[in-house]
Structures are given as structure tokens and as C-alpha cells.
Amino acid sequence: MSIRIVTIEREYGSGSRQSRAGPPHTPQAAEASLLEKVMQMTLSPSNDRPENPSADSPGSKSGMPPASANSSSQDAEVFSRLLSTRYSCRGFLAEQVPHATIVRILEMAQRTASWCNSQPWKVVIASGAATDRFREALYTHVAGGAQEASDFPFPREYRGEYLSRRRECGFQLYTTLGIARGDKAAYNRQFLENYRLFGAPHVAIITTDEALGVYGVLDCGAYVSNFVLAARSLGVASIAQAAIAGQSQFVRAHFNLPEDRRVVCGISFGFEDPSHPANRFRTTRAAIDETVTWADALQIEAV
């Protein structure tokens, strides 16, 4: 696995810290086990599959026995529930996530499918004092007037439905925080919380290889999605942050990363603070009729 772990705190003691991560008999542990199963069945790299598909069990093209209708339904229910309950957490407790839980998240995310099985992601995990050093340095750097310097261009503009969705999300956040519309000073204070990592005790820095271009970024996006879902399955909250990638050169220098590593994003993670107002709203999703075109319903004129 292409992971660097920076200053992990290993002393957790007993009691609530261990139980929060979910012992084997909890619903969270069951969700994590089912998510691992789904990833292994549907996200396995192509070179894991048998060379002779005809040797598979009847109805299976993955080299694994065909799933029963009941187990498939359970898998779908768990996956749907994780997608529905995951959200971008903007208020964390200081409590550390056990090291074994972080490793399990990484192991599940590592099953992500990628272009030609290239697996372009490399991950730096900061915990404890390492997170605090990064948080303080990054916040000071940005609050001091540093300009954005991302390895990848941010959107040229948001327009139409994309602008509407972005505004809806922003106004939901500001409303739940009690920030009046048009209060630009308060907007900026909340924006700077990105660089405090919203108080998270851990951060993952996701990078790709420069030579792989847009496809490396695409694969890392899939990795990020699987990372946050795996975290959710274990009761760990998270938020993927493009704001961190907006300071790519600073991030590279801080973690001593090679120049050919391109910073895709950061993921702040830990246990959610249920009392924090920023965690009380949920964004909406468009109906599939707004995002899907069924080709068999189109009137296509033969050429």
C-alpha cells in the first residue's frame, strides 16, 4: 500500500475510545464487513480475475461464486445506507481514531478500481502532533495572505444548475451557523476553518503522479469516495477538501513530497461532534431524470 503515516498516537486506553470504533458485534462492524465484500466483488482490479471466464461458477464472471439474491439485497441496502448517511463533517471531536481503524479504512479504500490497475494514489496520513503542526502552519500561511496555488485549475465558472446547487449548499451551511446572507466577513471566517481542518484529529493528503494526467486524478477521485464511505462504515466522519489542494506547493514542502506528486485533495477525518451546528444540515441530490439520458428513448436519425 502506498501510505505514509506521520506520528500516529498509539495509546488509546480502554472504554469509549475503543467502543466508538465498533467492536465486531456492532452494526457499524457489520456494515464495514459488507462494504469490504462489495468492494472485493465489484472493484477488484481486472488482473485479479481468472484468465478463463468459462471456469467460473455458473453466472459468475468474477471468479467468485454467484451471490444469492438475499445477500445481494443486503449488500445493496448497506451500500445505499452508507451513501445516504455519509456527509461532509465540519465539526470534529479531538478524540483520536484508533490506529487499527484507520488501517482498515485504508485497506478497504485500496480496493478502488483504477485505469489499467495503475492505483495512482499515494496517501500521507497525519495524526496527533503531526496534524496539529500541519493545521497551525497551513492556517498561518493562508491567513497571512497566501494566494491559491493549486496543481489543478479550479472550475472556470459555476453556471446554471451547478451554480444553483453550489449556492444551495453554501446557504444551508451559513443558515445553520447563523451567518446572515451577505456577511462577507463571516463567510471568510468560516472559509478559513478549512485550514483548521474543522478541528479534525487526522488528515489524509491524496496525491497522484504528474505523468498520469486527468486519468490519475479520476482514479484518485474514486479512491476518495471509497475512503469516506469506508470511514462512515466504521463510524468515522470525514470531509474531502479541495481547499487544501489550493495550497499544493505548501503541502508538498510541508510533507517533503516529490515535485512530481500532484495534490488532489485532503481528507480531514475523525469522530463527528454531534453538537456542532455545521453538522446539522444535509445537502440534496438531483433526481436521475436530471442527470441521466436513456439512449433507447432518443430519436436518433440514421446517418
Side-chain angles (χ1 to χ4, degrees), residues 237-261:
S238 63
I239 180 169
Q241 295 181 257
I244 293 176
Q247 300 297 330
S248 297
Q249 190 57 45
F250 177 88
V251 172
R252 256 192 305 276
H254 184 88
F255 290 109
N256 196 29
L257 301 176
E259 282 298 318
D260 62 355
R261 296 308 301 178

mmCIF file with all atom_site columns, all heavy atoms in Angstrom, residues 237-261:
data_model
loop_
_atom_site.group_PDB
_atom_site.id
_atom_site.type_symbol
_atom_site.label_atom_id
_atom_site.label_alt_id
_atom_site.label_comp_id
_atom_site.label_asym_id
_atom_site.label_entity_id
_atom_site.label_seq_id
_atom_site.pdbx_PDB_ins_code
_atom_site.Cartn_x
_atom_site.Cartn_y
_atom_site.Cartn_z
_atom_site.occupancy
_atom_site.B_iso_or_equiv
_atom_site.pdbx_formal_charge
_atom_site.auth_seq_id
_atom_site.auth_comp_id
_atom_site.auth_asym_id
_atom_site.auth_atom_id
_atom_site.pdbx_PDB_model_num
ATOM 1   N N   . ALA A 1 237 ? -16.267 10.041 10.766  1.00 0.00 ? 237 ALA A N   1
ATOM 2   C CA  . ALA A 1 237 ? -16.741 11.118 9.900   1.00 0.00 ? 237 ALA A CA  1
ATOM 3   C C   . ALA A 1 237 ? -15.572 11.692 9.106   1.00 0.00 ? 237 ALA A C   1
ATOM 4   O O   . ALA A 1 237 ? -14.407 11.547 9.492   1.00 0.00 ? 237 ALA A O   1
ATOM 5   C CB  . ALA A 1 237 ? -17.404 12.209 10.736  1.00 0.00 ? 237 ALA A CB  1
ATOM 6   N N   . SER A 1 238 ? -15.899 12.378 8.010   1.00 0.00 ? 238 SER A N   1
ATOM 7   C CA  . SER A 1 238 ? -14.838 12.894 7.147   1.00 0.00 ? 238 SER A CA  1
ATOM 8   C C   . SER A 1 238 ? -15.354 14.036 6.292   1.00 0.00 ? 238 SER A C   1
ATOM 9   O O   . SER A 1 238 ? -16.564 14.249 6.169   1.00 0.00 ? 238 SER A O   1
ATOM 10  C CB  . SER A 1 238 ? -14.297 11.774 6.242   1.00 0.00 ? 238 SER A CB  1
ATOM 11  O OG  . SER A 1 238 ? -15.329 11.309 5.373   1.00 0.00 ? 238 SER A OG  1
ATOM 12  N N   . ILE A 1 239 ? -14.417 14.741 5.670   1.00 0.00 ? 239 ILE A N   1
ATOM 13  C CA  . ILE A 1 239 ? -14.752 15.746 4.668   1.00 0.00 ? 239 ILE A CA  1
ATOM 14  C C   . ILE A 1 239 ? -13.589 15.841 3.687   1.00 0.00 ? 239 ILE A C   1
ATOM 15  O O   . ILE A 1 239 ? -12.428 15.995 4.091   1.00 0.00 ? 239 ILE A O   1
ATOM 16  C CB  . ILE A 1 239 ? -15.048 17.130 5.301   1.00 0.00 ? 239 ILE A CB  1
ATOM 17  C CG1 . ILE A 1 239 ? -15.403 18.146 4.206   1.00 0.00 ? 239 ILE A CG1 1
ATOM 18  C CG2 . ILE A 1 239 ? -13.909 17.612 6.182   1.00 0.00 ? 239 ILE A CG2 1
ATOM 19  C CD1 . ILE A 1 239 ? -15.958 19.464 4.726   1.00 0.00 ? 239 ILE A CD1 1
ATOM 20  N N   . ALA A 1 240 ? -13.881 15.705 2.405   1.00 0.00 ? 240 ALA A N   1
ATOM 21  C CA  . ALA A 1 240 ? -12.872 15.883 1.360   1.00 0.00 ? 240 ALA A CA  1
ATOM 22  C C   . ALA A 1 240 ? -12.731 17.380 1.102   1.00 0.00 ? 240 ALA A C   1
ATOM 23  O O   . ALA A 1 240 ? -13.726 18.088 0.961   1.00 0.00 ? 240 ALA A O   1
ATOM 24  C CB  . ALA A 1 240 ? -13.289 15.151 0.093   1.00 0.00 ? 240 ALA A CB  1
ATOM 25  N N   . GLN A 1 241 ? -11.487 17.871 1.036   1.00 0.00 ? 241 GLN A N   1
ATOM 26  C CA  . GLN A 1 241 ? -11.250 19.308 0.970   1.00 0.00 ? 241 GLN A CA  1
ATOM 27  C C   . GLN A 1 241 ? -10.373 19.707 -0.209  1.00 0.00 ? 241 GLN A C   1
ATOM 28  O O   . GLN A 1 241 ? -9.163  19.486 -0.208  1.00 0.00 ? 241 GLN A O   1
ATOM 29  C CB  . GLN A 1 241 ? -10.598 19.773 2.269   1.00 0.00 ? 241 GLN A CB  1
ATOM 30  C CG  . GLN A 1 241 ? -11.473 19.626 3.501   1.00 0.00 ? 241 GLN A CG  1
ATOM 31  C CD  . GLN A 1 241 ? -10.753 20.123 4.738   1.00 0.00 ? 241 GLN A CD  1
ATOM 32  O OE1 . GLN A 1 241 ? -10.276 19.322 5.539   1.00 0.00 ? 241 GLN A OE1 1
ATOM 33  N NE2 . GLN A 1 241 ? -10.654 21.438 4.888   1.00 0.00 ? 241 GLN A NE2 1
ATOM 34  N N   . ALA A 1 242 ? -11.000 20.365 -1.194  1.00 0.00 ? 242 ALA A N   1
ATOM 35  C CA  . ALA A 1 242 ? -10.233 20.940 -2.296  1.00 0.00 ? 242 ALA A CA  1
ATOM 36  C C   . ALA A 1 242 ? -9.419  22.134 -1.822  1.00 0.00 ? 242 ALA A C   1
ATOM 37  O O   . ALA A 1 242 ? -8.393  22.472 -2.416  1.00 0.00 ? 242 ALA A O   1
ATOM 38  C CB  . ALA A 1 242 ? -11.179 21.355 -3.421  1.00 0.00 ? 242 ALA A CB  1
ATOM 39  N N   . ALA A 1 243 ? -9.871  22.773 -0.734  1.00 0.00 ? 243 ALA A N   1
ATOM 40  C CA  . ALA A 1 243 ? -9.157  23.949 -0.220  1.00 0.00 ? 243 ALA A CA  1
ATOM 41  C C   . ALA A 1 243 ? -7.707  23.615 0.113   1.00 0.00 ? 243 ALA A C   1
ATOM 42  O O   . ALA A 1 243 ? -6.806  24.442 -0.073  1.00 0.00 ? 243 ALA A O   1
ATOM 43  C CB  . ALA A 1 243 ? -9.867  24.497 1.010   1.00 0.00 ? 243 ALA A CB  1
ATOM 44  N N   . ILE A 1 244 ? -7.470  22.415 0.604   1.00 0.00 ? 244 ILE A N   1
ATOM 45  C CA  . ILE A 1 244 ? -6.098  22.007 0.934   1.00 0.00 ? 244 ILE A CA  1
ATOM 46  C C   . ILE A 1 244 ? -5.264  21.904 -0.339  1.00 0.00 ? 244 ILE A C   1
ATOM 47  O O   . ILE A 1 244 ? -4.108  22.332 -0.384  1.00 0.00 ? 244 ILE A O   1
ATOM 48  C CB  . ILE A 1 244 ? -6.102  20.688 1.717   1.00 0.00 ? 244 ILE A CB  1
ATOM 49  C CG1 . ILE A 1 244 ? -6.736  20.904 3.094   1.00 0.00 ? 244 ILE A CG1 1
ATOM 50  C CG2 . ILE A 1 244 ? -4.687  20.124 1.865   1.00 0.00 ? 244 ILE A CG2 1
ATOM 51  C CD1 . ILE A 1 244 ? -6.893  19.640 3.919   1.00 0.00 ? 244 ILE A CD1 1
ATOM 52  N N   . ALA A 1 245 ? -5.873  21.359 -1.402  1.00 0.00 ? 245 ALA A N   1
ATOM 53  C CA  . ALA A 1 245 ? -5.171  21.261 -2.680  1.00 0.00 ? 245 ALA A CA  1
ATOM 54  C C   . ALA A 1 245 ? -4.890  22.634 -3.274  1.00 0.00 ? 245 ALA A C   1
ATOM 55  O O   . ALA A 1 245 ? -4.006  22.782 -4.122  1.00 0.00 ? 245 ALA A O   1
ATOM 56  C CB  . ALA A 1 245 ? -5.985  20.429 -3.674  1.00 0.00 ? 245 ALA A CB  1
ATOM 57  N N   . GLY A 1 246 ? -5.640  23.646 -2.826  1.00 0.00 ? 246 GLY A N   1
ATOM 58  C CA  . GLY A 1 246 ? -5.389  25.008 -3.290  1.00 0.00 ? 246 GLY A CA  1
ATOM 59  C C   . GLY A 1 246 ? -4.069  25.567 -2.805  1.00 0.00 ? 246 GLY A C   1
ATOM 60  O O   . GLY A 1 246 ? -3.651  26.645 -3.248  1.00 0.00 ? 246 GLY A O   1
ATOM 61  N N   . GLN A 1 247 ? -3.414  24.865 -1.902  1.00 0.00 ? 247 GLN A N   1
ATOM 62  C CA  . GLN A 1 247 ? -2.083  25.243 -1.403  1.00 0.00 ? 247 GLN A CA  1
ATOM 63  C C   . GLN A 1 247 ? -1.102  24.102 -1.660  1.00 0.00 ? 247 GLN A C   1
ATOM 64  O O   . GLN A 1 247 ? -0.351  23.675 -0.788  1.00 0.00 ? 247 GLN A O   1
ATOM 65  C CB  . GLN A 1 247 ? -2.162  25.585 0.087   1.00 0.00 ? 247 GLN A CB  1
ATOM 66  C CG  . GLN A 1 247 ? -3.094  26.726 0.429   1.00 0.00 ? 247 GLN A CG  1
ATOM 67  C CD  . GLN A 1 247 ? -2.664  28.041 -0.198  1.00 0.00 ? 247 GLN A CD  1
ATOM 68  O OE1 . GLN A 1 247 ? -1.467  28.278 -0.425  1.00 0.00 ? 247 GLN A OE1 1
ATOM 69  N NE2 . GLN A 1 247 ? -3.625  28.915 -0.491  1.00 0.00 ? 247 GLN A NE2 1
ATOM 70  N N   . SER A 1 248 ? -1.109  23.617 -2.893  1.00 0.00 ? 248 SER A N   1
ATOM 71  C CA  . SER A 1 248 ? -0.363  22.402 -3.237  1.00 0.00 ? 248 SER A CA  1
ATOM 72  C C   . SER A 1 248 ? 1.129   22.506 -2.949  1.00 0.00 ? 248 SER A C   1
ATOM 73  O O   . SER A 1 248 ? 1.730   21.575 -2.398  1.00 0.00 ? 248 SER A O   1
ATOM 74  C CB  . SER A 1 248 ? -0.570  22.051 -4.716  1.00 0.00 ? 248 SER A CB  1
ATOM 75  O OG  . SER A 1 248 ? -1.911  21.763 -4.976  1.00 0.00 ? 248 SER A OG  1
ATOM 76  N N   . GLN A 1 249 ? 1.761   23.612 -3.330  1.00 0.00 ? 249 GLN A N   1
ATOM 77  C CA  . GLN A 1 249 ? 3.199   23.732 -3.131  1.00 0.00 ? 249 GLN A CA  1
ATOM 78  C C   . GLN A 1 249 ? 3.545   23.746 -1.651  1.00 0.00 ? 249 GLN A C   1
ATOM 79  O O   . GLN A 1 249 ? 4.512   23.121 -1.210  1.00 0.00 ? 249 GLN A O   1
ATOM 80  C CB  . GLN A 1 249 ? 3.733   24.997 -3.810  1.00 0.00 ? 249 GLN A CB  1
ATOM 81  C CG  . GLN A 1 249 ? 5.257   25.069 -3.860  1.00 0.00 ? 249 GLN A CG  1
ATOM 82  C CD  . GLN A 1 249 ? 5.880   23.865 -4.559  1.00 0.00 ? 249 GLN A CD  1
ATOM 83  O OE1 . GLN A 1 249 ? 5.433   23.434 -5.618  1.00 0.00 ? 249 GLN A OE1 1
ATOM 84  N NE2 . GLN A 1 249 ? 6.920   23.288 -3.960  1.00 0.00 ? 249 GLN A NE2 1
ATOM 85  N N   . PHE A 1 250 ? 2.715   24.399 -0.864  1.00 0.00 ? 250 PHE A N   1
ATOM 86  C CA  . PHE A 1 250 ? 2.922   24.417 0.588   1.00 0.00 ? 250 PHE A CA  1
ATOM 87  C C   . PHE A 1 250 ? 2.804   23.007 1.152   1.00 0.00 ? 250 PHE A C   1
ATOM 88  O O   . PHE A 1 250 ? 3.615   22.590 1.985   1.00 0.00 ? 250 PHE A O   1
ATOM 89  C CB  . PHE A 1 250 ? 1.900   25.342 1.255   1.00 0.00 ? 250 PHE A CB  1
ATOM 90  C CG  . PHE A 1 250 ? 1.992   25.349 2.748   1.00 0.00 ? 250 PHE A CG  1
ATOM 91  C CD1 . PHE A 1 250 ? 2.850   26.228 3.396   1.00 0.00 ? 250 PHE A CD1 1
ATOM 92  C CD2 . PHE A 1 250 ? 1.249   24.455 3.512   1.00 0.00 ? 250 PHE A CD2 1
ATOM 93  C CE1 . PHE A 1 250 ? 2.959   26.215 4.790   1.00 0.00 ? 250 PHE A CE1 1
ATOM 94  C CE2 . PHE A 1 250 ? 1.348   24.439 4.898   1.00 0.00 ? 250 PHE A CE2 1
ATOM 95  C CZ  . PHE A 1 250 ? 2.205   25.320 5.537   1.00 0.00 ? 250 PHE A CZ  1
ATOM 96  N N   . VAL A 1 251 ? 1.785   22.261 0.708   1.00 0.00 ? 251 VAL A N   1
ATOM 97  C CA  . VAL A 1 251 ? 1.566   20.896 1.189   1.00 0.00 ? 251 VAL A CA  1
ATOM 98  C C   . VAL A 1 251 ? 2.759   20.016 0.824   1.00 0.00 ? 251 VAL A C   1
ATOM 99  O O   . VAL A 1 251 ? 3.250   19.235 1.653   1.00 0.00 ? 251 VAL A O   1
ATOM 100 C CB  . VAL A 1 251 ? 0.260   20.317 0.613   1.00 0.00 ? 251 VAL A CB  1
ATOM 101 C CG1 . VAL A 1 251 ? 0.129   18.826 0.949   1.00 0.00 ? 251 VAL A CG1 1
ATOM 102 C CG2 . VAL A 1 251 ? -0.943  21.090 1.142   1.00 0.00 ? 251 VAL A CG2 1
ATOM 103 N N   . ARG A 1 252 ? 3.234   20.146 -0.411  1.00 0.00 ? 252 ARG A N   1
ATOM 104 C CA  . ARG A 1 252 ? 4.393   19.343 -0.835  1.00 0.00 ? 252 ARG A CA  1
ATOM 105 C C   . ARG A 1 252 ? 5.612   19.635 0.041   1.00 0.00 ? 252 ARG A C   1
ATOM 106 O O   . ARG A 1 252 ? 6.323   18.726 0.472   1.00 0.00 ? 252 ARG A O   1
ATOM 107 C CB  . ARG A 1 252 ? 4.729   19.619 -2.307  1.00 0.00 ? 252 ARG A CB  1
ATOM 108 C CG  . ARG A 1 252 ? 4.301   18.535 -3.261  1.00 0.00 ? 252 ARG A CG  1
ATOM 109 C CD  . ARG A 1 252 ? 4.905   18.716 -4.652  1.00 0.00 ? 252 ARG A CD  1
ATOM 110 N NE  . ARG A 1 252 ? 4.604   20.011 -5.199  1.00 0.00 ? 252 ARG A NE  1
ATOM 111 C CZ  . ARG A 1 252 ? 3.474   20.324 -5.833  1.00 0.00 ? 252 ARG A CZ  1
ATOM 112 N NH1 . ARG A 1 252 ? 2.534   19.410 -5.988  1.00 0.00 ? 252 ARG A NH1 1
ATOM 113 N NH2 . ARG A 1 252 ? 3.274   21.535 -6.302  1.00 0.00 ? 252 ARG A NH2 1
ATOM 114 N N   . ALA A 1 253 ? 5.851   20.916 0.285   1.00 0.00 ? 253 ALA A N   1
ATOM 115 C CA  . ALA A 1 253 ? 7.019   21.291 1.085   1.00 0.00 ? 253 ALA A CA  1
ATOM 116 C C   . ALA A 1 253 ? 6.874   20.800 2.527   1.00 0.00 ? 253 ALA A C   1
ATOM 117 O O   . ALA A 1 253 ? 7.835   20.294 3.116   1.00 0.00 ? 253 ALA A O   1
ATOM 118 C CB  . ALA A 1 253 ? 7.198   22.803 1.046   1.00 0.00 ? 253 ALA A CB  1
ATOM 119 N N   . HIS A 1 254 ? 5.678   20.944 3.081   1.00 0.00 ? 254 HIS A N   1
ATOM 120 C CA  . HIS A 1 254 ? 5.468   20.564 4.487   1.00 0.00 ? 254 HIS A CA  1
ATOM 121 C C   . HIS A 1 254 ? 5.705   19.073 4.708   1.00 0.00 ? 254 HIS A C   1
ATOM 122 O O   . HIS A 1 254 ? 6.325   18.681 5.710   1.00 0.00 ? 254 HIS A O   1
ATOM 123 C CB  . HIS A 1 254 ? 4.050   20.936 4.918   1.00 0.00 ? 254 HIS A CB  1
ATOM 124 C CG  . HIS A 1 254 ? 3.778   20.660 6.370   1.00 0.00 ? 254 HIS A CG  1
ATOM 125 N ND1 . HIS A 1 254 ? 4.043   21.583 7.362   1.00 0.00 ? 254 HIS A ND1 1
ATOM 126 C CD2 . HIS A 1 254 ? 3.296   19.557 7.003   1.00 0.00 ? 254 HIS A CD2 1
ATOM 127 C CE1 . HIS A 1 254 ? 3.724   21.068 8.530   1.00 0.00 ? 254 HIS A CE1 1
ATOM 128 N NE2 . HIS A 1 254 ? 3.269   19.842 8.352   1.00 0.00 ? 254 HIS A NE2 1
ATOM 129 N N   . PHE A 1 255 ? 5.216   18.247 3.771   1.00 0.00 ? 255 PHE A N   1
ATOM 130 C CA  . PHE A 1 255 ? 5.341   16.798 3.935   1.00 0.00 ? 255 PHE A CA  1
ATOM 131 C C   . PHE A 1 255 ? 6.504   16.212 3.137   1.00 0.00 ? 255 PHE A C   1
ATOM 132 O O   . PHE A 1 255 ? 6.634   14.989 3.038   1.00 0.00 ? 255 PHE A O   1
ATOM 133 C CB  . PHE A 1 255 ? 4.036   16.111 3.533   1.00 0.00 ? 255 PHE A CB  1
ATOM 134 C CG  . PHE A 1 255 ? 2.908   16.358 4.508   1.00 0.00 ? 255 PHE A CG  1
ATOM 135 C CD1 . PHE A 1 255 ? 1.837   17.171 4.159   1.00 0.00 ? 255 PHE A CD1 1
ATOM 136 C CD2 . PHE A 1 255 ? 2.918   15.787 5.770   1.00 0.00 ? 255 PHE A CD2 1
ATOM 137 C CE1 . PHE A 1 255 ? 0.797   17.410 5.051   1.00 0.00 ? 255 PHE A CE1 1
ATOM 138 C CE2 . PHE A 1 255 ? 1.887   16.018 6.675   1.00 0.00 ? 255 PHE A CE2 1
ATOM 139 C CZ  . PHE A 1 255 ? 0.825   16.835 6.308   1.00 0.00 ? 255 PHE A CZ  1
ATOM 140 N N   . ASN A 1 256 ? 7.337   17.089 2.569   1.00 0.00 ? 256 ASN A N   1
ATOM 141 C CA  . ASN A 1 256 ? 8.517   16.649 1.830   1.00 0.00 ? 256 ASN A CA  1
ATOM 142 C C   . ASN A 1 256 ? 8.166   15.678 0.708   1.00 0.00 ? 256 ASN A C   1
ATOM 143 O O   . ASN A 1 256 ? 8.775   14.617 0.549   1.00 0.00 ? 256 ASN A O   1
ATOM 144 C CB  . ASN A 1 256 ? 9.536   16.009 2.790   1.00 0.00 ? 256 ASN A CB  1
ATOM 145 C CG  . ASN A 1 256 ? 10.914  15.881 2.163   1.00 0.00 ? 256 ASN A CG  1
ATOM 146 O OD1 . ASN A 1 256 ? 11.300  16.671 1.297   1.00 0.00 ? 256 ASN A OD1 1
ATOM 147 N ND2 . ASN A 1 256 ? 11.661  14.876 2.587   1.00 0.00 ? 256 ASN A ND2 1
ATOM 148 N N   . LEU A 1 257 ? 7.165   16.060 -0.083  1.00 0.00 ? 257 LEU A N   1
ATOM 149 C CA  . LEU A 1 257 ? 6.722   15.221 -1.194  1.00 0.00 ? 257 LEU A CA  1
ATOM 150 C C   . LEU A 1 257 ? 7.508   15.574 -2.459  1.00 0.00 ? 257 LEU A C   1
ATOM 151 O O   . LEU A 1 257 ? 7.875   16.739 -2.664  1.00 0.00 ? 257 LEU A O   1
ATOM 152 C CB  . LEU A 1 257 ? 5.227   15.432 -1.457  1.00 0.00 ? 257 LEU A CB  1
ATOM 153 C CG  . LEU A 1 257 ? 4.288   15.127 -0.290  1.00 0.00 ? 257 LEU A CG  1
ATOM 154 C CD1 . LEU A 1 257 ? 2.850   15.481 -0.657  1.00 0.00 ? 257 LEU A CD1 1
ATOM 155 C CD2 . LEU A 1 257 ? 4.399   13.672 0.123   1.00 0.00 ? 257 LEU A CD2 1
ATOM 156 N N   . PRO A 1 258 ? 7.748   14.594 -3.339  1.00 0.00 ? 258 PRO A N   1
ATOM 157 C CA  . PRO A 1 258 ? 8.453   14.875 -4.598  1.00 0.00 ? 258 PRO A CA  1
ATOM 158 C C   . PRO A 1 258 ? 7.664   15.847 -5.465  1.00 0.00 ? 258 PRO A C   1
ATOM 159 O O   . PRO A 1 258 ? 6.435   15.918 -5.400  1.00 0.00 ? 258 PRO A O   1
ATOM 160 C CB  . PRO A 1 258 ? 8.544   13.490 -5.260  1.00 0.00 ? 258 PRO A CB  1
ATOM 161 C CG  . PRO A 1 258 ? 8.347   12.507 -4.156  1.00 0.00 ? 258 PRO A CG  1
ATOM 162 C CD  . PRO A 1 258 ? 7.432   13.161 -3.176  1.00 0.00 ? 258 PRO A CD  1
ATOM 163 N N   . GLU A 1 259 ? 8.361   16.566 -6.313  1.00 0.00 ? 259 GLU A N   1
ATOM 164 C CA  . GLU A 1 259 ? 7.722   17.557 -7.180  1.00 0.00 ? 259 GLU A CA  1
ATOM 165 C C   . GLU A 1 259 ? 6.763   16.930 -8.184  1.00 0.00 ? 259 GLU A C   1
ATOM 166 O O   . GLU A 1 259 ? 5.878   17.610 -8.692  1.00 0.00 ? 259 GLU A O   1
ATOM 167 C CB  . GLU A 1 259 ? 8.789   18.370 -7.923  1.00 0.00 ? 259 GLU A CB  1
ATOM 168 C CG  . GLU A 1 259 ? 9.444   19.444 -7.072  1.00 0.00 ? 259 GLU A CG  1
ATOM 169 C CD  . GLU A 1 259 ? 8.446   20.496 -6.583  1.00 0.00 ? 259 GLU A CD  1
ATOM 170 O OE1 . GLU A 1 259 ? 7.587   20.916 -7.379  1.00 0.00 ? 259 GLU A OE1 1
ATOM 171 O OE2 . GLU A 1 259 ? 8.533   20.889 -5.411  1.00 0.00 ? 259 GLU A OE2 1
ATOM 172 N N   . ASP A 1 260 ? 6.955   15.639 -8.506  1.00 0.00 ? 260 ASP A N   1
ATOM 173 C CA  . ASP A 1 260 ? 6.054   15.027 -9.492  1.00 0.00 ? 260 ASP A CA  1
ATOM 174 C C   . ASP A 1 260 ? 4.771   14.473 -8.873  1.00 0.00 ? 260 ASP A C   1
ATOM 175 O O   . ASP A 1 260 ? 3.947   13.877 -9.560  1.00 0.00 ? 260 ASP A O   1
ATOM 176 C CB  . ASP A 1 260 ? 6.768   13.923 -10.276 1.00 0.00 ? 260 ASP A CB  1
ATOM 177 C CG  . ASP A 1 260 ? 7.235   12.767 -9.395  1.00 0.00 ? 260 ASP A CG  1
ATOM 178 O OD1 . ASP A 1 260 ? 7.098   12.851 -8.154  1.00 0.00 ? 260 ASP A OD1 1
ATOM 179 O OD2 . ASP A 1 260 ? 7.751   11.776 -9.959  1.00 0.00 ? 260 ASP A OD2 1
ATOM 180 N N   . ARG A 1 261 ? 4.603   14.674 -7.561  1.00 0.00 ? 261 ARG A N   1
ATOM 181 C CA  . ARG A 1 261 ? 3.342   14.293 -6.930  1.00 0.00 ? 261 ARG A CA  1
ATOM 182 C C   . ARG A 1 261 ? 2.398   15.492 -6.952  1.00 0.00 ? 261 ARG A C   1
ATOM 183 O O   . ARG A 1 261 ? 2.749   16.575 -6.507  1.00 0.00 ? 261 ARG A O   1
ATOM 184 C CB  . ARG A 1 261 ? 3.538   13.836 -5.478  1.00 0.00 ? 261 ARG A CB  1
ATOM 185 C CG  . ARG A 1 261 ? 4.372   12.588 -5.303  1.00 0.00 ? 261 ARG A CG  1
ATOM 186 C CD  . ARG A 1 261 ? 3.925   11.426 -6.128  1.00 0.00 ? 261 ARG A CD  1
ATOM 187 N NE  . ARG A 1 261 ? 2.538   11.010 -5.851  1.00 0.00 ? 261 ARG A NE  1
ATOM 188 C CZ  . ARG A 1 261 ? 1.934   10.023 -6.514  1.00 0.00 ? 261 ARG A CZ  1
ATOM 189 N NH1 . ARG A 1 261 ? 2.550   9.396  -7.516  1.00 0.00 ? 261 ARG A NH1 1
ATOM 190 N NH2 . ARG A 1 261 ? 0.691   9.685  -6.203  1.00 0.00 ? 261 ARG A NH2 1
#
